[in-house]
Amino acid sequence: MYPACTSLLNFDAASITQHSVINAMMAFLLNDRRVVAAVLAIFLIALTAASARAQGDSFDTAISPLLTKYCHACHGAQKQEALIRYDKLTGFQAGDRDLWTMVHEKISSGEMPPSKKPQPSDAEKATILRWIEKQQRALGTGGTRRLNRREVSAALRDLTGLTVDFSLGLPGDGKVAGFDTGADGLQDAADSIEQWMRVSRRAVAGIRFLEPARGTVFTANLSESKDPRKVLDDWKKQGANSKAHGIGRAGVGLLLEPRAVGDRDALSFHLPVPADGQGVVRLKVVASVIKPFEGIPSPRLWVEVGGRDIDYPEVSAAHDQPQEFVYQVHLGDLAIGSRGVNVSLANRVEVPYAIEGFENEERSRPTDPPIEGGTGLFRPAFDRTVLPPEKQPAPYIVLHSIEVEIDFAAAWPPAAWKTDIAVSDSEASAEKLLTLWIDRAWRRPTTKAEREPFVKFYRELRTQEFSFDDALRAAFQSVLMSGPFRYLSSATDASPSTRQYMLASRLSFMLIGAPPDAELLALAAAGKLREPAVLDAQVDRLLADPRSKAFIEPFVMQWLELDQPITIVSAHINKQDFRFARHLKASMREETIAYIARIIADNRPASELVDSNWTMMNDILAIHYGYPALDGGMLRKVELRKDDPRGGGILGHAGIQSMLTWMGDNWVIYRGAWTLRHVLNHPPPPPPLEVPELNPSEGGNKGKPFRELLKQHQEDVNCAVCHRHMDPVGFAFQNFDISGRWRDVEHESYYRAELDGKIAWKGVGNTRPVDAAGNLPRGEQFTTWSQFKQIVARDYQSDIVRGLLKNLHIYGTGLKPDVDDMQEITAIMKATQDKQYPMRDMIKAFVRSKSFLDQ
């Protein structure tokens, strides 16, 4: 046996932490995978033995009899409600940590055993709770986790100075409770190392030191040309192939004609690429807009590179202050044709509008029925052959300049860093550059001993006639494959300094989704980052930073599962609503993200997650909700009409209700289950495998009210466990149609047709008033949407906050909260209860907690 493996056998199992095992694995990885397997096997055997010794007879004599007496009837050999079984438990094993935490939470809250079942005495409850706490603390907590693909991409951008989305080339991340930050979900698959190597190679290949710029640059100064169209034709001399589109204006630029989504016409060109199809494409576009009439919306510049939609920025700048858009994408993530990589720029109008003095360009047949809740408009009709662009009721994008560099490489270190390193072909210069790279990659100052293997690697490559740039790139890549880059440091590290830098990284990756900036690193170096006042100030600073979008968006998206498809429907497939579906769907999803971001930014109470008098709205959402026109796609705070039956709060957002649909209609079960799981912190158990699918539009089910349909599930003993809670909650949302718009009546059935992703949907037969009556998990009854919201805001605020903090714990630490963590969550709630749980204050309290600082 290897000496290192033998030494592990002499460790007390309780001292073997996840961090030490990972370090052992990393140390042996380059030698023999069998050693890694041996280390893991020894660890697991030792841990199991230690667990059995620690529990002794206490589980068999004190805990198991209580489980048998109070739990086995519902969770034993004969019956397993919620698919949970306790009669197979033999003690507190590492894999059962979450189960025991749930037991602790249910017993301490009095939720279990159910009120109609025999109840344990206070002494028996105390025995179980104390035992769980003791065993969980003895087991300890996890200490480190790997960066997920979002974080790796951000770290590579920070290191290289490139803006490439490196995550596209990385394997997907496993999830824990829906979050991609969970330590248990971030395990490397067998083929992931190869993908890591490929992406790290891309990263270092995109930088240069002494080498001159190697890329081919295509430049078109359109606003300075007498014939802008001819400037693009000149690219053919460099091997490009362009399709001229647009109207040239001498001294102005190239005017892109506006088109609705779905129309053709775009400025496109094919550019030659390196033979290996690798390298970075850098695209820079400078543009402004011409809008001759008031009320014309700002258009969007659709940017497509290599078959991928890169961006849809709104262009609103005047000609004398044009906007600049810069993109970097890797050729390896694009479709490359025989003529090279295609770049396409198009002017798209994504909102319907009308201009006084011009008729509406109607796109439907006169015999078509009116759109139920649709936009009602398309765009003004006019003759393009008669009116020049400056007099048309349409927005023109003016392209001032276009610059494309194929095989772009950024000079390193970036000039913005203002380093004092004089780059020269010398070992001293190389060592300084390596020190800078390693310190930034490992997110802390490194020692000479830690850097020496990489410096040695560089020296060896130079003896093999590698150039200065190639040798450094190879050494840089080896740093990217190291553990300290790919993994966050442990909060349990013996070094106080390391713990400071760990906290800087954890705080930064949580709140801005990227490595710590100079201010965080300076506070870590000074040893001040764990001070409560300093932590509070940093939370305020980072949440006020535009980069905090990298926290709000992924957290909200994963907490509420907003990545589900959103349904936009019309009464007829040929109606114009579909022209605006991309912008509307994106805005419906962004409304919820922006709403929660505003609550956090303004430190508003958590109750406003459910009820308020405002929302975030833009041009297309104003149309969708029937509000006065708003200018531009930027979401802004809008006070709701007093007669708006939806009211404020995320549960009434069209994006949420439209994603919780199925088979062309509302889906009571799904809406109820989602609300219980993601908002009310009362997650329903998973359905039994033998439950048949309930299709409301199939056979005898067609036309039946949902309440009647669901009786067949609730009358089945296997189904009732879940449906007695989900269905009554789901009925609260019956006033929202399949596109999340308000309705007061529903039809007996609905006609649904689909063509090329467009869905036609309209009611058929008699109408009936919407049935929105139901009840909540603790029995509170409601008959309307308004009553439902009032009860939730009044009686379930603590449930909502507890669930939110549990999700924040998983996102911020990578671990599900255990018993001690739940106690800290309770303490945070008590400290903020009098102020109605202000959102930013709760985030600050969580960051100050031992759960965040020491796990």
Side-chain angles (χ1 to χ4, degrees):
M1 184 176 288
Y2 289 85
C5 291
T6 305
S7 66
L8 275 177
L9 286 172
N10 297 323
F11 286 1
D12 183 282
S15 69
I16 303 177
T17 64
Q18 180 184 356
H19 182 64
S20 63
V21 174
I22 291 174
N23 281 343
M25 291 177 64
M26 295 302 295
F28 292 129
L29 188 58
L30 297 177
N31 296 324
D32 194 330
R33 291 184 179 178
R34 292 171 297 176
V35 178
V36 178
V39 171
L40 284 175
I42 293 166
F43 170 71
L44 293 174
I45 292 169
L47 184 60
T48 301
S51 177
R53 287 196 304 271
Q55 290 162 23
D57 295 332
S58 61
F59 175 80
D60 293 334
T61 60
I63 306 302
S64 183
L66 294 177
L67 294 179
T68 302
K69 183 177 180 180
Y70 296 109
C71 304
H72 286 190
C74 297
H75 305 285
Q78 301 302 318
K79 187 178 180 182
Q80 298 93 40
E81 285 195 9
L83 302 184
I84 295 173
R85 187 170 181 174
Y86 293 134
D87 62 312
K88 293 290 187 180
L89 292 174
T90 59
F92 198 110
Q93 308 298 335
D96 298 325
R97 177 195 295 271
D98 296 333
L99 176 61
W100 284 115
T101 299
M102 184 192 70
V103 171
H104 191 283
E105 187 175 359
K106 297 293 185 183
I107 292 177
S108 59
S109 67
E111 189 173 342
M112 288 292 171
S115 58
K116 296 181 181 180
K117 298 288 184 179
Q119 297 294 309
S121 66
D122 290 344
E124 288 173 324
K125 285 185 178 181
T127 297
I128 297 175
L129 296 177
R130 279 199 306 268
W131 181 85
I132 294 173
E133 292 164 9
K134 179 180 178 182
Q135 300 304 322
Q136 196 153 255
R137 289 163 186 162
L139 186 62
T141 60
T144 188
R145 71 166 177 87
R146 176 173 64 76
L147 297 181
N148 61 33
R149 63 205 298 254
R150 285 185 299 104
E151 294 165 336
V152 168
S153 182
L156 290 177
R157 290 195 297 271
D158 176 75
L159 267 173
T160 60
L162 299 169
T163 60
V164 173
D165 183 0
F166 293 101
S167 69
L168 296 173
L170 291 168
D173 297 313
K175 293 188 176 182
V176 174
F179 291 100
D180 62 3
T181 55
D184 290 341
L186 295 171
Q187 307 298 324
D188 288 326
D191 60 347
S192 62
I193 296 300
E194 181 181 351
Q195 292 172 288
W196 272 87
M197 291 187 69
R198 181 168 60 247
V199 169
S200 61
R201 190 179 303 117
R202 285 182 181 181
V204 298
I207 60 177
R208 59 188 175 85
F209 309 99
L210 294 175
E211 291 176 351
R214 60 177 181 250
T216 302
V217 183
F218 297 82
T219 303
N221 292 315
L222 303 169
S223 62
E224 299 176 4
S225 172
K226 293 182 180 180
D227 188 351
R229 291 168 63 95
K230 188 176 183 303
V231 174
L232 293 174
D233 289 339
D234 291 342
W235 284 8
K236 294 178 181 179
K237 300 174 184 177
Q238 295 176 266
N241 187 304
S242 66
K243 176 186 175 183
H245 172 70
I247 301 170
R249 286 283 191 272
V252 177
L254 186 68
L255 278 59
L256 293 185
E257 299 175 64
R259 293 286 188 265
V261 177
D263 292 344
R264 296 187 177 181
D265 285 340
L267 172 64
S268 64
F269 34 87
H270 288 83
L271 304 172
V273 301
D276 61 2
Q278 298 298 305
V280 174
V281 178
R282 183 178 182 273
L283 169 65
K284 182 170 78 172
V285 179
V286 178
S288 62
V289 67
I290 294 177
K291 297 195 295 183
F293 294 90
E294 185 176 349
I296 294 177
S298 295
R300 291 182 177 267
L301 178 64
W302 279 38
V303 181
E304 180 185 299
V305 181
R308 279 190 54 228
D309 291 327
I310 303 300
D311 200 8
Y312 314 90
E314 189 173 60
V315 182
S316 57
H319 190 270
D320 58 344
Q321 292 183 318
Q323 293 166 265
E324 181 177 276
F325 307 100
V326 182
Y327 306 100
Q328 294 178 11
V329 291
H330 200 279
L331 287 167
D333 297 323
L334 306 176
I336 308 298
S338 58
R339 294 183 294 172
V341 62
N342 176 255
V343 177
S344 174
L345 303 173
N347 177 356
R348 296 286 184 250
V349 179
E350 296 202 71
V351 289
Y353 69 102
I355 298 298
E356 187 175 352
F358 293 88
E359 293 184 1
N360 179 46
E361 183 181 334
E362 180 58 58
R363 284 298 183 96
S364 59
R365 297 172 298 190
T367 57
D368 287 341
I371 300 172
E372 299 178 5
T375 60
L377 296 171
F378 184 44
R379 58 187 177 188
F382 61 92
D383 189 342
R384 297 177 187 276
T385 63
V386 175
L387 294 176
E390 293 80 5
K391 294 185 178 181
Q392 293 178 11
Y396 274 78
I397 290 178
V398 181
L399 298 179
H400 293 236
S401 65
I402 304 172
E403 181 179 290
V404 188
E405 183 171 354
I406 305 294
D407 200 13
F408 168 76
W412 203 91
W417 293 3
K418 298 179 180 179
T419 61
D420 57 356
I421 300 175
V423 182
S424 63
D425 190 352
S426 67
E427 186 171 311
S429 178
E431 191 166 348
K432 288 181 180 179
L433 292 171
L434 263 170
T435 297
L436 179 61
W437 179 270
I438 298 171
D439 285 356
R440 275 189 95 95
W442 289 10
R443 303 175 286 278
R444 62 171 175 82
T446 54
T447 65
K448 184 175 180 63
E450 288 174 319
R451 298 189 298 268
E452 182 56 30
F454 303 103
V455 175
K456 182 179 179 182
F457 182 41
Y458 164 80
R459 293 194 196 105
E460 290 176 352
L461 293 176
R462 292 309 304 270
T463 63
Q464 299 175 30
E465 298 185 357
F466 276 65
S467 69
F468 179 85
D469 280 53
D470 285 343
L472 261 186
R473 278 193 283 258
F476 277 22
Q477 185 185 2
S478 67
V479 174
L480 299 181
M481 297 302 295
S482 66
F485 171 71
R486 299 178 65 225
Y487 286 82
L488 290 172
S489 300
S490 171
T492 59
D493 194 285
S495 166
S497 175
T498 300
R499 292 199 299 272
Q500 284 279 330
Y501 288 105
M502 176 285 300
L503 181 55
S505 288
R506 173 172 281 185
L507 188 61
S508 185
F509 276 114
M510 175 184 163
L511 294 183
I512 60 173
D517 57 18
E519 185 168 332
L520 282 171
L521 292 174
L523 289 168
K528 295 182 177 180
L529 201 48
R530 295 175 69 90
E531 297 175 9
V534 172
L535 284 172
D536 283 354
Q538 289 305 303
V539 171
D540 284 333
R541 179 179 74 88
L542 295 174
L543 287 177
D545 193 302
R547 296 175 296 171
S548 65
K549 181 181 179 181
F551 158 54
I552 303 290
E553 185 169 313
F555 175 69
V556 174
M557 287 287 293
Q558 294 176 91
W559 164 32
L560 301 177
E561 288 190 330
L562 296 184
D563 58 348
Q564 300 175 76
I566 285 178
T567 304
I568 299 296
V569 297
S570 184
H572 195 285
I573 286 177
N574 292 326
K575 290 289 186 178
Q576 56 262 32
D577 295 52
F578 300 112
R579 301 283 183 167
F580 317 114
R582 188 216 69 85
H583 180 39
L584 177 55
K585 288 181 180 181
S587 299
M588 289 164 72
R589 184 174 285 113
E590 289 164 4
E591 177 188 8
T592 303
I593 297 168
Y595 182 85
I596 294 174
R598 187 61 181 263
I599 290 178
I600 293 173
D602 294 347
N603 203 22
R604 304 186 73 85
S607 61
E608 295 196 3
L609 290 170
V610 173
D611 194 23
S612 73
N613 65 350
W614 62 278
T615 192
M616 303 296 287
M617 206 178 289
N618 64 2
D619 48 11
I620 197 72
L621 285 176
I623 294 171
H624 193 66
Y625 289 139
Y627 273 71
L630 294 174
D631 182 27
M634 180 188 68
L635 288 157
R636 82 268 346 231
K637 187 178 179 181
V638 172
E639 186 173 335
L640 297 172
R641 296 192 310 261
K642 292 183 179 179
D643 64 347
D644 188 337
R646 296 177 308 117
I650 63 174
L651 294 176
H653 288 177
I656 286 178
Q657 294 308 323
S658 64
M659 79 180 186
L660 302 177
T661 58
W662 182 68
M663 295 296 291
D665 206 339
N666 297 352
W667 196 223
V668 169
I669 298 172
Y670 196 13
R671 284 175 167 175
W674 180 91
T675 304
L676 289 171
R677 180 179 298 111
H678 297 288
V679 180
L680 300 183
N681 192 35
H682 284 262
L689 297 176
E690 67 272 14
V691 174
E693 184 179 84
L694 179 63
N695 190 333
S697 59
E698 186 176 74
N701 292 336
K702 194 170 184 179
K704 289 183 179 179
F706 263 100
R707 199 174 297 278
E708 182 180 338
L709 283 175
L710 294 174
K711 281 184 180 178
Q712 59 195 67
H713 264 23
Q714 294 174 1
E715 291 171 356
D716 187 323
V717 66
N718 292 319
C719 305
V721 174
C722 304
H723 286 271
R724 66 173 177 242
H725 296 300
M726 294 190 303
D727 302 350
V729 172
F731 277 106
F733 307 101
Q734 282 295 83
N735 284 108
F736 296 93
D737 72 9
I738 194 171
S739 288
R741 294 173 295 208
W742 186 265
R743 64 180 185 178
D744 291 309
V745 297
E746 61 180 350
H747 289 268
E748 289 181 348
S749 62
Y750 288 86
Y751 165 80
R752 183 182 188 275
E754 186 169 350
L755 177 66
D756 297 333
K758 301 173 182 177
I759 300 173
W761 181 79
K762 70 176 182 178
V764 177
N766 296 326
T767 61
R768 57 194 174 218
V770 167
D771 179 4
N775 59 269
L776 283 149
R778 289 192 281 267
E780 303 95 336
Q781 295 185 342
F782 55 86
T783 58
T784 66
W785 164 250
S786 177
Q787 287 179 358
F788 166 78
K789 284 182 57 175
Q790 289 172 7
I791 296 170
V792 170
R794 183 191 67 214
D795 298 344
Y796 286 80
Q797 190 170 12
S798 62
D799 301 79
I800 294 168
V801 171
R802 185 174 291 105
L804 171 64
L805 289 173
K806 286 163 66 175
N807 285 312
L808 188 65
H809 185 282
I810 297 171
Y811 188 85
T813 69
L815 302 168
K816 286 186 176 181
D818 62 18
V819 172
D820 289 334
D821 300 324
M822 290 305 302
Q823 290 177 353
E824 290 212 75
I825 285 173
T826 300
I828 292 171
M829 293 176 64
K830 287 181 179 179
T832 55
Q833 183 176 8
D834 290 345
K835 295 183 179 180
Q836 299 299 305
Y837 309 112
M839 290 284 281
R840 194 169 73 248
D841 284 355
M842 289 196 296
I843 294 174
K844 288 155 83 169
F846 168 65
V847 167
R848 294 193 305 267
S849 70
K850 286 179 63 64
S851 297
F852 187 81
L853 297 175
D854 297 332
Q855 287 200 70

